[in-house]
Amino acid sequence: MNWPDDNPEQDNRRKAAQYVRMSTEHQRYSTENQSDAIRRYADERGYQIIKTYSDAGKSGLRIEGRDGLTQLLEDIQAGRTDFDTVLVYDISRWGRFQDADESAYYEYICKRAGIAVEYCAEQFENDGSPVSTIVKGVKRAMAGEYSRELSQKVFAGQSRLIEMGYRQGGPPGYGLRRMLIDEAGNQKGILTRGEHKSIQTDRITLVPGPEDEIAVMNQIFRCFFAVSYTHITLPTKQIVAIQVAARSLTQ
């Protein structure tokens, strides 16, 4: 998403656009905080920010779904820009691509069109010098490695919670309900469709649902096992329906 600034000052300062991105990380990376830091940088360096490209709630692992960055690159490649610099908070906001060359490629697209990219919170000048090139390469690799390590930690944490019997997302199967419990294991109530926990230490487990649904599922399983392990003959469509229903419950 992108939008022009409401009241751009009419002066002779160099024109710049800003790109901001936030996934679900720490609050210091909120788009508002990034914009504040970028504006301070722009004032110190004599830039006038005339356009903002934003990706709120978007992962930096890939460019798919990042409409703000995609639009920025399209505008630059099509020559639809009236700015000569793009200001970004830091390299990780530009992207946490698993291939560091991908991040460099998107920056090169800007450079090839005569648009400079400056990282406002980094401790180096993006001036194309050997030192800048080396530091950027390291920073890009670090940004991608952070995502890999975070993914491994999240997977390990979720696996542990699953082993403890806690639910990790997704609607419950027919005949089941999601029960919210606190860190001491006390039940806090059933979550209805669309409701989510609001406290990080709370957990969700599955509990039996209404009796009528349980009765239906018991009948499904009785029919399923009867068909599987006896010579009872049922119409093909009925057998398939029973098997699909039973399989969906166990998934």
Side-chain angles (χ1 to χ4, degrees), residues 17 21 74-75 79 96 98 101 111 123 132 140 180 210 214 223 235-236:
R21 179 188 66 81
E74 288 179 354
D75 288 349
R96 295 188 183 278
Q98 297 303 287
D101 290 341
K111 181 179 179 181
Q123 301 301 312
S132 170
R140 287 166 179 155
L180 183 66
I214 295 175
C223 293
T236 302

Side-chain angles (χ1 to χ4, degrees), residues 21 70 95 251:
R21 179 188 66 81
T70 301
Q251 288 180 342

Side-chain angles (χ1 to χ4, degrees), residues 127-136:
D127 54 7
S129 65
V131 172
S132 170
T133 302
I134 293 172
V135 174
K136 279 195 300 182

Side-chain angles (χ1 to χ4, degrees), residues 217-232 234 239 242-243 246 249-250:
M217 294 312 303
N218 287 337
Q219 181 64 28
I220 289 175
F221 272 101
R222 281 195 292 269
C223 293
F224 175 75
F225 288 116
V227 170
S228 300
Y229 300 107
T230 70
H231 297 289
I232 297 176
L234 293 174
I239 294 175
I242 292 173
Q243 291 176 332
L249 176 65
T250 58

